[in-house]
Amino acid sequence: MKKIKLALLIILSVIILAGCGKSAKEEFFDYTKKNVTENSSNDISMTVKDIKLTADMKDSPEANVMVTQLKDIKVTGSMQHDVSEKATNTKLNIEALGQKIPLEFISKNDDMYFSLDIFRGISKIASQFNSELPSDEKTLSAFDGKYLKLSDADTLEIDSKSATNLTKKFQKEVSNYFTSLDEERFTKENDVVTFKLTKKDVVVLAEKFNTLSKSKKEYKEFFIPDFDEMIKNLPKALDAKFNLNTKTNDLAVALTSTFDKKDEGFIDSIEVLYNYKPNDKQVAIKLPAKKEIVNVKEIEAILAPYLSDELDEELDEELDEELDEELDEELDEELDEELDEELDEELDEELDEELDEELDEELDEELDGDFNMADDEFKELVKELEKEDFSSFSAAESDELLEEYEPLLTEKQYKTIEKIFKNK
């Protein structure tokens, strides 16, 4: 936003600053001198002549809708300057998104007033984007016919006297710069003088402004610390073509901005037309009456109920987010614990199964090998069995005994014991 304001400040300075002489260049600055030193009243208009989309966005429905809305924006109005009273009155009507918004500035000496009639139109536009500004008649009517005094310290939070002094010094810098330009940059055909302002001019004048703003302690609040970055982010090309009709004093300005692809925007270039045409509507500039002037605190009081609701909603949203985060953390912890328990159970089961298998295998190996009865032990067993009387044993009982001995015997030993049981 700063870079746009700075560019417009420099471009508009060309319109209001003075020069001298009768060449094409001098005629151009005679016009600006007349607007500064004499009473004047001009009709003003602004339209968007053309917008070109980037190649990758030409077929985008959303981008084309936005372009249509931008092209529909129109500004009309008037600017009146009373030299003797050091007063200026600027009235504009902005047509955008189906709404007409009045905009008015009144200034005298170092005081400036801004009409709050704009609030109704802004409220209607905001509602189209689901932004809830106050729209009830009681609130809206409280702003009707009221003015905010912009020069109050609590409004702009700047020293108005310092701002005025800096502006005057900067105007001299701009005037000196354009006086030094080559005559060849100003051409005349029939009654029209043409002059083109380039991005290079904007950068030079911007540097002069920032140098001036740090030349005195009283101007330090206007110094731009991120100046180099701001200049770097200016459009790739910035051209303002001025066409001045020296007979009618009509001035047409075509401002074209071309953007770099690296900006990643959807607009390749935009051309805006400004027209200034003298009229005979010069009337006394009337300052707002005391009862029509409000300050920031009074505006805040009018909007207090709305602002309270809005703050409550914001607070609720923040609390909801915090609560959601806490719940998420708790759920994550619970899920982690459940998952750990499930994994532990599964791991325990797997380990138990593995251990059971290993033990079974070890037992089988031991029973098949190391636990086979030694020959000496077997001979003792045979002696003891031969002493026993198994005649009362049934075949089933004999088989059960054989099964118990089988794991401890070799195949040869098993047949010997089987023979003893069956012969008995």
Side-chain angles (χ1 to χ4, degrees):
M1 184 57 74
K2 282 184 178 179
K3 63 186 180 183
I4 296 173
K5 289 182 178 178
L6 183 59
L8 289 176
L9 170 65
I10 293 167
I11 291 168
L12 292 175
S13 294
V14 179
I15 301 171
I16 64 172
L17 295 174
C20 58
K22 294 299 177 182
S23 64
K25 170 184 172 181
E26 293 163 344
E27 282 190 273
F28 182 86
F29 287 109
D30 272 348
Y31 166 81
T32 62
K33 181 178 180 180
K34 183 178 180 181
N35 276 277
V36 172
T37 59
E38 299 178 11
N39 291 347
S40 62
S41 182
N42 294 280
D43 290 325
I44 305 171
S45 68
M46 185 279 286
T47 56
V48 179
K49 182 181 180 181
D50 189 32
I51 298 177
K52 288 185 172 63
L53 292 172
T54 55
D56 58 326
M57 295 298 287
K58 285 182 178 179
D59 297 325
S60 168
E62 294 83 0
N64 280 282
V65 168
M66 189 169 292
V67 166
T68 300
Q69 291 176 335
L70 290 173
K71 284 185 175 181
D72 286 341
I73 295 176
K74 294 180 182 179
V75 178
T76 57
S78 63
M79 178 184 290
Q80 188 173 322
H81 183 208
D82 189 326
V83 177
S84 61
E85 294 292 328
K86 295 183 179 180
T88 302
N89 187 6
T90 303
K91 292 183 177 181
L92 302 174
N93 286 302
I94 304 170
E95 295 181 35
L97 300 175
Q99 301 297 325
K100 291 185 178 181
I101 305 173
L103 185 65
E104 181 181 11
F105 290 94
I106 303 174
S107 66
K108 184 173 183 179
N109 296 319
D110 296 334
D111 291 333
M112 179 177 286
Y113 305 89
F114 174 64
S115 172
L116 297 178
D117 288 342
I118 191 175
F119 196 84
R120 282 183 179 270
I122 291 177
S123 178
K124 289 180 180 179
I125 289 178
S127 65
Q128 297 180 29
F129 295 93
N130 297 320
S131 177
E132 295 182 1
L133 285 177
S135 57
D136 60 287
E137 186 58 30
K138 182 180 179 181
T139 303
L140 295 177
S141 61
F143 292 102
D144 292 343
K146 301 296 183 181
Y147 292 81
L148 175 65
K149 191 175 182 180
L150 295 178
S151 47
D152 284 343
D154 64 345
T155 303
L156 295 180
E157 297 182 352
I158 63 173
D159 185 339
S160 59
K161 184 177 180 181
S162 297
T164 300
N165 292 337
L166 177 60
T167 300
K168 289 178 179 178
K169 288 183 177 294
F170 180 58
Q171 285 180 345
K172 288 182 180 179
E173 290 284 344
V174 175
S175 179
N176 292 335
Y177 175 75
F178 283 103
T179 300
S180 68
L181 295 178
D182 293 337
E183 295 281 350
E184 288 76 13
R185 292 188 61 178
F186 298 81
T187 60
K188 185 176 182 179
E189 185 175 348
N190 297 324
D191 297 319
V192 179
V193 174
T194 300
F195 165 64
K196 190 174 182 180
L197 184 74
T198 67
K199 180 180 176 179
K200 182 180 178 181
D201 297 314
V202 171
V203 172
V204 170
L205 292 173
E207 290 172 344
K208 289 182 179 293
F209 176 84
N210 220 36
T211 299
L212 188 62
S213 65
K214 66 178 180 180
S215 65
K216 285 188 177 183
K217 188 177 180 179
E218 62 179 295
Y219 302 150
K220 66 178 182 179
E221 60 186 311
F222 304 101
F223 177 72
I224 305 171
D226 57 345
F227 179 80
D228 292 337
E229 186 67 22
M230 185 184 70
I231 294 299
K232 182 181 177 181
N233 290 327
L234 283 171
K236 181 174 67 175
L238 182 63
D239 300 304
K241 186 177 181 181
F242 297 82
N243 289 318
L244 172 65
N245 189 309
T246 56
K247 278 193 173 182
T248 64
N249 281 335
D250 292 354
L251 176 65
V253 184
L255 175 61
T256 304
S257 300
T258 304
F259 301 93
D260 200 314
K261 291 181 179 178
K262 66 181 181 181
D263 292 336
E264 297 182 355
F266 67 93
I267 295 178
D268 179 69
S269 65
I270 181 169
E271 183 178 1
V272 182
L273 300 181
Y274 300 87
N275 287 284
Y276 304 83
K277 185 176 183 178
N279 61 44
D280 55 358
K281 301 174 184 177
Q282 188 76 32
V283 295
I285 298 175
K286 183 181 178 182
L287 296 180
K290 188 175 181 179
K291 64 180 181 180
E292 296 173 330
I293 300 172
V294 297
N295 56 40
V296 173
K297 290 183 179 179
E298 290 174 299
I299 293 175
E300 289 177 346
I302 295 172
L303 297 177
Y306 161 74
L307 292 175
S308 297
D309 291 342
E310 189 177 61
L311 289 172
D312 288 343
E313 288 177 4
E314 290 178 1
L315 183 59
D316 288 342
E317 288 178 2
E318 290 177 5
L319 290 173
D320 287 343
E321 288 177 2
E322 291 177 5
L323 185 59
D324 287 343
E325 289 177 2
E326 291 177 3
L327 288 173
D328 287 343
E329 289 177 2
E330 290 178 6
L331 287 172
D332 287 342
E333 290 176 1
E334 289 179 6
L335 288 173
D336 288 341
E337 290 175 1
E338 290 178 5
L339 184 59
D340 288 341
E341 289 176 2
E342 290 177 4
L343 290 173
D344 288 342
E345 290 176 2
E346 290 178 6
L347 185 59
D348 288 343
E349 290 176 2
E350 290 177 4
L351 288 173
D352 288 343
E353 289 177 2
E354 290 178 4
L355 288 172
D356 288 343
E357 289 177 2
E358 288 179 5
L359 288 172
D360 289 342
E361 289 175 2
E362 289 177 3
L363 184 58
D364 289 343
E365 289 175 359
E366 290 173 353
L367 292 175
D368 288 342
D370 295 341
F371 277 86
N372 287 345
M373 191 174 293
D375 289 340
D376 293 341
E377 294 174 347
F378 179 70
K379 288 178 181 177
E380 291 294 327
L381 175 63
V382 169
K383 289 179 181 180
E384 293 295 327
L385 291 175
E386 286 179 341
K387 294 177 183 180
E388 298 292 333
D389 182 11
F390 296 105
S391 59
S392 61
F393 277 61
S394 64
E397 289 174 332
S398 297
D399 290 339
E400 188 176 342
L401 284 172
L402 283 171
E403 286 180 6
E404 291 179 4
Y405 281 110
E406 184 177 11
L408 303 175
L409 305 174
T410 63
E411 185 177 353
K412 183 178 179 182
Q413 291 172 339
Y414 177 78
K415 289 181 178 179
T416 301
I417 296 299
E418 183 182 27
K419 187 176 180 182
I420 291 173
F421 284 151
K422 287 184 177 180
N423 291 336
K424 291 289 185 181

